[in-house]
Amino acid sequence: MRMGLTGLCILFVLTSCGNMQYREPARETFLAMDTFMTFTVYGENAEEALAEAKEQVLGLEKLWSVTDTESEIYAVNHSEGRPVEISRATEELVAFALKMAAETDGALEPTIYPVLTAWGFTTGEYRIPSEEALAALLGRTGYEKAVLTEGGICLPEGMMLDLGAVGKGYAGDLLAELLAEEGVTSALLDIGGNIQAIGRKPDGTEWKVGLRAPYSDAVFGSLMVSDAAVVTSGAYERYFTGEDGKQYGHIIDPDTGYPVENGLLSVTVAAREGKLCDALSTALYVMGAEKAVNFWRERQDFDMILVTEDERVLLTEGIEERFSLDKAYQDWTKEVIKVGQRE
Ligand code: AMP
Ligand code: MG
């Protein structure tokens, strides 16, 4: 089960302002996609909209679970090289994951599953695989070998997909769409630590999203957002301590097959689309600070906050005004990454 600390939490209080009193929101916490989700929905149709959103996310879990023997991804992963028919939602998610894998030069590697299994991250039976085993398993990865056709996918024998790095973000986008169709203009979805903010708070102010300090329950800073997603990746969300006393995290460097170890503790990405945030938070974590900064300078279609082992917080200039460092973390060094400057 994957229910460790999540990277983000929600810091908001329902306020009443002036004479305006707001209705209580509909709120529910439930287990889906191997994590806790809390949906908070405001407005007249809140209860019905929340129920539909929950139903949708449970439906997506049924399609994308790697362990549910009835899921589409399970069928793909046990297809032994044969083409498998998949639904529109799965096709779109896989297509997006493969596109992001190409755009991040394979830092996001949706076919990393065999390697992840060798480390025990899929079962909780953790172990350090031998170098030979990892080298052999890496031969069974490579996003460019997956063939997507209209309505179907074909993976070479021995290869497997894991959409764990993008599925929740993509679900956030679909949920935001669904809620908008239901007439909801204010809602906050905590999708296992991925935050999807719909509109603003009912009083018209922005949502305040707390960013969790790695390996801690405390919040190191917060970000004000509206109509946006905020997603964090970091080894601290799931890791084990090996017999050698070292900590091994759940995000794998696809070049080596070993858990990422590059001086970064967490990467938070904020952008309009949850799927982009989710794909990039994982990929930038794999890249490390220097490459992540270069990647941002080239694209600038997202904002990010990097936390390093040496207690630096690097944030892109677009969110400088929206981010604040908590009082207890004032000794951390805040550095703003600007488009123009070069290290
Ligand atoms: P996230 O929490 O979004 O960063 O996703 C992490 C999850 O993605 C892990 O628990 C694995 O299931 C999977 N994963 C690990 N390493 C990678 C990688 N390099 N590329 C894509 N998915 C990965
Ligand atoms: Mg991710």
Side-chain angles (χ1 to χ4, degrees), residues 2 107-110 112 116 162 164-165 233 237-238 250-252 254 278 281-282 286:
R2 181 182 173 185
L108 185 82
E109 179 45 272
I112 204 68
L116 211 64
D162 171 11
S233 289
E237 290 182 321
R238 195 147 53 105
H250 68 131
I251 302 176
I252 305 288
D278 204 355
S281 67
T282 311
V286 171

Side-chain angles (χ1 to χ4, degrees), residues 276-309:
L276 183 72
C277 293
D278 204 355
L280 287 182
S281 67
T282 311
L284 298 171
Y285 184 80
V286 171
M287 287 181 200
E290 201 184 322
K291 276 195 189 162
V293 168
N294 291 338
F295 187 86
W296 174 78
R297 286 209 173 103
E298 271 163 31
R299 294 181 54 130
Q300 293 171 48
D301 57 344
F302 63 96
D303 279 293
M304 65 180 185
I305 302 170
L306 312 178
V307 176
T308 67
E309 278 170 4

Side-chain angles (χ1 to χ4, degrees), residues 11-17 21-25 27 40 42 186 201-203 207:
L11 301 171
F12 71 95
V13 224
L14 182 65
T15 51
S16 56
C17 109
Q21 291 294 328
Y22 299 104
R23 287 163 63 109
E24 281 297 306
R27 180 175 294 144
T40 306
Y42 293 86
S186 174
K201 288 203 294 189
D203 66 3
W207 307 98

Side-chain angles (χ1 to χ4, degrees), residues 38-333:
T38 300
F39 292 177
T40 306
V41 183
Y42 293 86
E44 281 178 16
N45 191 25
E47 269 85 21
E48 294 83 349
L50 190 150
E52 283 198 28
K54 180 178 169 186
E55 200 181 305
Q56 183 176 41
V57 90
L58 292 173
L60 296 173
E61 175 185 24
K62 277 207 153 306
L63 294 179
W64 301 338
S65 164
V66 273
T67 48
D68 182 346
T69 55
E70 311 263 288
S71 86
E72 291 190 348
I73 294 302
Y74 190 91
V76 171
N77 287 352
H78 295 81
S79 59
E80 293 169 355
R82 287 187 296 269
V84 176
E85 257 183 55
I86 49 177
S87 63
R88 186 70 186 268
T90 305
E91 185 186 335
E92 282 182 10
L93 175 59
V94 174
F96 176 73
L98 296 175
K99 174 173 102 89
M100 290 309 296
E103 289 181 15
T104 60
D105 201 15
L108 185 82
E109 179 45 272
T111 66
I112 204 68
Y113 193 67
V115 176
L116 211 64
T117 307
W119 286 94
F121 282 111
T122 51
T123 56
E125 288 162 26
Y126 299 118
R127 59 193 170 264
I128 304 170
S130 68
E131 281 190 27
E132 297 74 47
L134 285 177
L137 289 171
L138 282 176
R140 290 170 49 189
T141 68
Y143 68 91
E144 64 288 348
K145 292 182 243 170
V147 180
L148 203 53
T149 56
E150 204 163 314
I153 183 167
C154 188
L155 278 186
E157 198 168 352
M159 279 186 60
M160 291 184 165
L161 284 180
D162 171 11
L163 302 171
V166 283
K168 286 187 287 168
Y170 193 70
D173 293 332
L174 295 179
L175 292 167
E177 242 173 68
L178 175 111
L179 291 177
E181 277 163 23
E182 292 296 311
V184 171
T185 54
S186 174
L188 198 70
L189 310 179
D190 176 347
I191 308 168
N194 282 21
I195 302 296
Q196 190 88 32
I198 290 113
R200 292 170 169 250
K201 288 203 294 189
D203 66 3
T205 61
E206 292 200 303
W207 307 98
K208 186 174 183 182
V209 178
L211 309 179
R212 203 181 288 284
Y215 302 104
S216 158
D217 271 343
V219 164
F220 75 89
S222 53
L223 192 63
M224 304 301 295
V225 296
S226 53
D227 268 321
V230 185
V231 177
T232 298
S233 289
Y236 69 95
E237 290 182 321
R238 195 147 53 105
Y239 64 93
F240 72 97
T241 307
E243 284 172 6
D244 56 1
K246 266 185 71 169
Q247 283 181 0
Y248 295 96
H250 68 131
I251 302 176
I252 305 288
D253 181 341
D255 283 339
T256 63
Y258 281 84
V260 168
E261 230 192 302
N262 56 18
L264 276 182
L265 286 181
S266 71
V267 174
T268 298
V269 176
R272 196 155 175 107
E273 287 191 319
K275 63 182 179 189
L276 183 72
C277 293
D278 204 355
L280 287 182
S281 67
T282 311
L284 298 171
Y285 184 80
V286 171
M287 287 181 200
E290 201 184 322
K291 276 195 189 162
V293 168
N294 291 338
F295 187 86
W296 174 78
R297 286 209 173 103
E298 271 163 31
R299 294 181 54 130
Q300 293 171 48
D301 57 344
F302 63 96
D303 279 293
M304 65 180 185
I305 302 170
L306 312 178
V307 176
T308 67
E309 278 170 4
D310 52 1
E311 301 190 340
R312 287 184 305 142
V313 181
L314 314 179
L315 65 143
T316 48
E317 58 183 333
I319 45 172
E320 188 181 356
E321 302 297 319
R322 297 168 167 275
F323 172 80
S324 57
L325 203 54
D326 199 81
K327 274 203 193 84
Y329 289 83
Q330 293 295 331
D331 54 338
W332 284 15
T333 316

